[in-house]
Amino acid sequence: MLFGEVREQGAGTVFVVDDDASMCQALSSLLRAVGWQVQTFADAAEFLAFQRPDTAGCLVLDVRLPGASGLELQRVLAERGDKLPVIFLTGHGDIPMSVQAMKAGAFEFLPKPFSKDDLLAAIASALRRNAVGRRESIELAGLRSRMASLSAREREVMGLVVEGLLNKQSAAALGISEVTVKVHRRRVMEKTGAQSLPELVRMVARVEPTTG
């Protein structure tokens, strides 16, 4: 894989947690040469105490660490709701350990010695996924904020509209005039930023996903 191709696939900060100083140095040199920002840590506690920048990132994590293990660090991040993708590196891994890491949501599990190309490809993919996830979270937060700006009546009208009721039917259901329904419907579209009814339906589905 060419370095230029890697840069096109993902940008952000790579966090490396490994108690082997020489490994940290080697990985840092490799990843910086590709164009990524890199932060290295000797153990889980040092990483958890670090104030991460507000940017896309991924975690390259050794399984065997002094103190809390890589798997334990992965568990802590999951409990915090932290969606930072984790790429495990290990010279001592076995099948059960790999399965445990992947079941817990690890992005990749690479045994040492690993292929440089495999690592770069995994990091590029992890950064891309994290960037997409961050963007979607920001978009969803904005959409929820716009939905929250609706009045109680506007939300009622919106609910009936997305269910497919006509203005006349919505008016009858709410005991108001059809003209009033049209006014509320227009305000709903303006406040949410929806350009069409199908787009409004999709917005509501994102904010209020159905279960079952």
Side-chain angles (χ1 to χ4, degrees):
M1 176 176 291
L2 299 176
F3 284 176
E5 293 176 343
V6 172
R7 278 195 292 267
E8 291 175 0
Q9 292 185 50
T13 302
V14 183
F15 306 98
V16 179
V17 182
D18 196 314
D19 61 325
D20 184 336
S22 61
M23 175 62 74
C24 281
Q25 180 59 45
L27 288 175
S28 181
S29 297
L30 171 65
L31 303 181
R32 290 182 190 280
V34 173
W36 288 317
Q37 298 294 314
V38 183
Q39 294 284 344
T40 62
F41 308 88
D43 55 41
E46 185 180 346
F47 172 73
L48 291 173
F50 178 71
Q51 185 65 41
R52 299 206 317 258
D54 185 20
T55 183
C58 75
L59 176 60
V60 176
L61 178 60
D62 191 17
V63 170
R64 307 275 182 174
L65 293 170
S69 70
L71 292 175
E72 290 171 327
L73 174 54
Q74 180 191 28
R75 177 180 54 77
V76 171
L77 293 176
E79 290 175 347
R80 292 182 176 183
D82 194 324
K83 299 185 182 301
L84 187 70
V86 179
I87 298 171
F88 276 107
L89 303 179
T90 180
H92 309 279
D94 54 16
I95 292 178
M97 186 179 294
S98 176
V99 170
Q100 180 181 350
M102 299 306 286
K103 282 186 175 180
F107 187 82
E108 186 58 273
F109 194 98
L110 301 176
K112 298 176 183 178
F114 50 83
S115 161
K116 178 183 71 175
D117 285 348
D118 287 346
L119 176 61
L120 293 177
I123 291 174
S125 296
L127 288 172
R128 185 173 62 248
R129 186 177 78 171
N130 190 239
V132 170
R134 286 170 56 84
R135 185 166 58 250
E136 290 178 346
S137 294
I138 292 172
E139 291 174 355
L140 184 57
L143 178 55
R144 284 176 172 157
S145 178
R146 296 196 298 276
M147 291 288 186
S149 72
L150 298 176
S151 68
R153 180 63 83 185
E154 288 165 352
R155 289 190 64 84
E156 289 178 327
V157 169
M158 181 179 69
L160 296 175
V161 168
V162 299
E163 287 179 7
L165 273 67
L166 301 175
N167 290 337
K168 180 184 296 187
Q169 295 171 315
S170 297
L174 296 174
I176 57 180
S177 71
E178 187 175 349
V179 172
T180 301
V181 168
K182 290 180 179 179
V183 171
H184 287 310
R185 181 169 177 165
R186 184 180 67 253
R187 288 176 178 169
V188 167
M189 302 298 281
E190 291 173 349
K191 288 183 177 181
T192 61
Q195 300 300 310
S196 64
L197 178 56
E199 184 179 2
L200 180 63
V201 171
R202 290 192 294 271
M203 287 179 171
V204 173
R206 287 189 67 187
V207 174
E208 303 172 355
T210 57
T211 58

